[in-house]
Amino acid sequence: MKKVMVCGCGAQGSTICRKLDEEQCIEEIICADYNFEAAKAVCRLMTKGTPRQVNAAHVDEIVAAAEGCELIVNVMPLDFGVNMLKAAIELGCSYQDLSACENITEVMDVDEYDRWIEGIKCMYTTYGSRFAENNAVAIIGTGSAPGVMCVMARKAVNELDECDTIGMMVYEGVEAKRFLPFWWSKDVALADMQEDAFAWENGEIIRTKPFSRPIYRSWPEMENEEVVLVEHAHDEPVYVGFNNEKYFKGCKNAYFKYGGVGIKFSEPLYRAGLLSWEEEEIDGVKVVPHELVLKHVPMAPKDPEVIKEIIDEGLVSDTGAFVVEAYGKKDGRDVMVDLHLFAPGLVDSYNKAKMTGEMYLTGQGAFLYTRLLVNDMIDQRGLISSDMLSDEQVEQYIKWANELDITYTIDIKEGIKPDF
């Protein structure tokens, strides 16, 4: 029987905790959060949960709370990632992170423009070697995107003999009548909105401006209405760039594009300078615009009663799209593999599991990596990103996803050129 700590009891962390509660191989789940009430709230929905208050700014507090755990799952903001990594290494246990890390000490002298890329390299190598020495594994980027998206990109690319271009696209169309621009961490969402994005282009990792380089799509799941998707800060193109030969059949170009409610809310703020972290003085008062906006954005709902209230108040829309387009050669022909993921929307997710649609896909998508780990189905050692599963692990992940009504379709089309 295993003991696991989930650090961060927000919308996604609470979902992982609740799903772990169903695993027979788990004896205890430490539900840790700086907000002790949040930790206690999720434990009230579980049978194996133990709430702990943890300040992740201090490695020793993380280590003390996770004593005896075989796995730490990090669902904390990016700033705490390095501390979580160090705690797992000190304990000699395995580690899972829905994202990656900021502020890695080893690369702080690198130009800020390249720091994220160098940080991921450092995670693969320096931190990876420490986990390997402990006979343990760390997996990063294990939410919905990256995470589910990486599994689906692998599935699409596996249909090809050679890959030239991958487009990974998410359109968030769930909108409540209540003001609620984000269904996940508002801190992470707004931070991503003001960051430069990444693309893997012509065999090089490049930076692009947020909200730039729009593309247009008309998908059946969006009732064939044309939608716009833009550049957005995500890790997937970086992972593809690092792993293009081994896992993506020589892919030369990879893009992540995002659209929907959160983009429509955030782009005017970005253009007005209201997502800036630079302190300003207004009429003698010092203000950080980003912090001011963040203060006025509501938290993502996670309590079943609150989710029901939002549904009962009425929805503007309950739609979305999650798509991978992989271009390359198959049997000597130029083709595009068109993969569409389908998951329960807000109403269906609540009816199935008393969750939001975001919690259902991201939280349970993350949990499937956790499930592979706690059931000893990950034999890799060191540090890997979520695109680096074996083909067998990819198929197991997809099988479990199908059981949760997270399904996909694949259509192979000829005569379509990439337009990213």
Side-chain angles (χ1 to χ4, degrees):
M1 299 289 280
K2 294 181 170 65
K3 180 178 175 181
V4 176
M5 182 170 85
V6 178
C7 200
C9 296
Q12 313 314 334
S14 61
T15 302
I16 297 167
C17 289
R18 289 165 61 186
K19 291 299 294 182
L20 274 170
D21 206 42
E22 301 171 9
E23 288 295 300
Q24 293 185 355
C25 64
I26 299 297
E27 179 180 18
E28 183 181 12
I29 305 110
I30 304 298
C31 304
D33 201 290
Y34 183 73
N35 180 350
F36 193 41
E37 291 304 315
K40 289 192 289 187
V42 69
C43 287
R44 285 195 287 269
L45 302 173
M46 302 166 60
T47 59
K48 304 175 189 175
T50 301
R52 292 277 171 80
Q53 184 174 31
V54 175
N55 183 349
H58 304 293
V59 175
D60 58 344
E61 284 198 31
I62 304 168
V63 170
E67 187 67 39
C69 289
E70 286 90 345
L71 171 67
I72 293 176
V73 183
N74 176 22
V75 203
M76 299 289 288
L78 291 172
D79 288 347
F80 300 105
V82 174
N83 284 353
M84 300 298 297
L85 272 172
K86 290 178 177 177
I89 290 167
E90 184 173 334
L91 288 164
C93 67
S94 289
Y95 175 78
Q96 178 187 348
D97 195 332
L98 271 67
S99 186
C101 288
E102 280 190 331
N103 304 324
I104 293 182
T105 308
E106 290 85 348
V107 300
M108 289 306 290
D109 58 346
V110 175
D111 185 272
E112 185 176 359
Y113 187 82
D114 296 321
R115 195 172 295 158
W116 184 260
I117 297 168
E118 294 303 318
I120 292 176
K121 286 182 183 176
C122 182
M123 292 178 76
Y124 282 141
T125 55
T126 303
Y127 285 91
S129 65
R130 295 170 188 168
F131 279 99
E133 288 167 5
N134 288 338
N135 195 33
V137 64
I139 310 180
I140 61 173
T142 61
S144 57
V148 179
M149 181 65 79
C150 293
V151 169
M152 293 301 157
R154 285 282 307 283
K155 183 67 176 176
V157 169
N158 281 349
E159 295 290 327
L160 298 170
D161 300 323
E162 302 172 27
C163 181
D164 180 83
T165 299
I166 306 170
M168 294 162 278
M169 295 160 281
V170 175
Y171 190 88
E172 179 61 69
V174 180
E175 184 175 3
K177 289 185 176 179
R178 178 184 298 193
F179 174 61
L180 194 60
F182 305 114
W183 295 89
W184 64 103
S185 166
K186 63 178 184 176
D187 301 77
V188 174
L190 277 178
D192 285 350
M193 293 292 177
Q194 58 86 39
E195 291 279 353
D196 281 355
F198 300 100
W200 171 246
E201 193 165 83
N202 298 320
E204 294 183 355
I205 296 172
I206 65 169
R207 299 299 294 265
T208 62
K209 291 299 178 185
F211 310 105
S212 68
R213 300 165 66 154
I215 63 169
Y216 302 87
R217 293 292 186 272
S218 299
W219 291 313
E221 51 265 60
M222 301 302 297
E223 299 180 348
N224 294 316
E225 175 187 353
E226 186 176 72
V227 297
V228 59
L229 303 102
V230 295
E231 292 289 290
H232 183 66
H234 259 237
D235 297 353
E236 290 94 328
V238 179
Y239 296 163
V240 173
F242 288 152
N243 299 313
N244 66 311
E245 291 295 337
K246 185 171 183 180
Y247 294 103
F248 294 100
K249 300 189 178 181
C251 176
K252 300 178 184 65
N253 308 284
Y255 304 93
F256 182 87
K257 300 284 187 174
Y258 186 50
V261 177
I263 290 289
K264 292 175 183 176
F265 169 75
S266 302
E267 184 173 6
L269 297 174
Y270 174 80
R271 294 176 65 186
L274 292 172
L275 297 185
S276 171
W277 288 102
E278 295 295 323
E279 186 177 75
E280 301 178 12
E281 187 169 317
I282 303 173
D283 296 332
V285 178
K286 292 183 178 180
V287 177
V288 176
H290 193 106
E291 293 179 351
L292 179 64
V293 171
L294 192 61
K295 185 73 173 177
H296 288 272
V297 175
M299 298 283 287
K302 60 179 179 177
D303 182 88
E305 293 182 4
V306 176
I307 298 168
K308 186 175 187 306
E309 286 177 9
I310 292 168
I311 294 172
D312 290 345
E313 289 169 3
L315 303 177
V316 177
S317 63
D318 190 8
T319 61
F322 195 103
V323 179
V324 177
E325 295 175 358
Y327 299 80
K329 289 191 177 293
K330 183 179 179 68
D331 300 326
R333 297 173 292 130
D334 290 325
V335 302
M336 184 262 275
V337 179
D338 190 23
L339 185 151
H340 290 241
L341 182 86
F342 299 91
L346 174 59
V347 174
D348 286 345
S349 295
Y350 178 78
N351 290 337
K352 284 176 175 292
K354 299 297 186 287
M355 300 175 183
T356 66
E358 177 66 28
M359 291 170 70
Y360 197 97
L361 180 58
T362 302
Q364 296 198 132
F367 164 71
L368 295 181
Y369 285 97
T370 315
R371 192 176 185 189
L372 288 169
L373 285 162
V374 299
N375 284 283
D376 301 322
M377 294 183 179
I378 301 287
D379 54 6
Q380 294 92 325
R381 291 295 177 260
L383 187 144
I384 63 174
S385 46
S386 54
D387 57 307
M388 295 168 68
L389 298 182
S390 68
D391 287 344
E392 293 76 16
Q393 290 162 348
V394 166
E395 292 304 322
Q396 180 62 69
Y397 185 103
I398 289 172
K399 178 178 181 293
W400 283 339
N402 288 342
E403 293 169 1
L404 295 170
D405 291 329
I406 299 171
T407 61
Y408 69 94
T409 61
I410 281 184
D411 190 11
I412 299 177
K413 304 176 179 180
E414 294 188 45
I416 301 176
K417 300 292 185 182
D419 62 347
F420 298 98

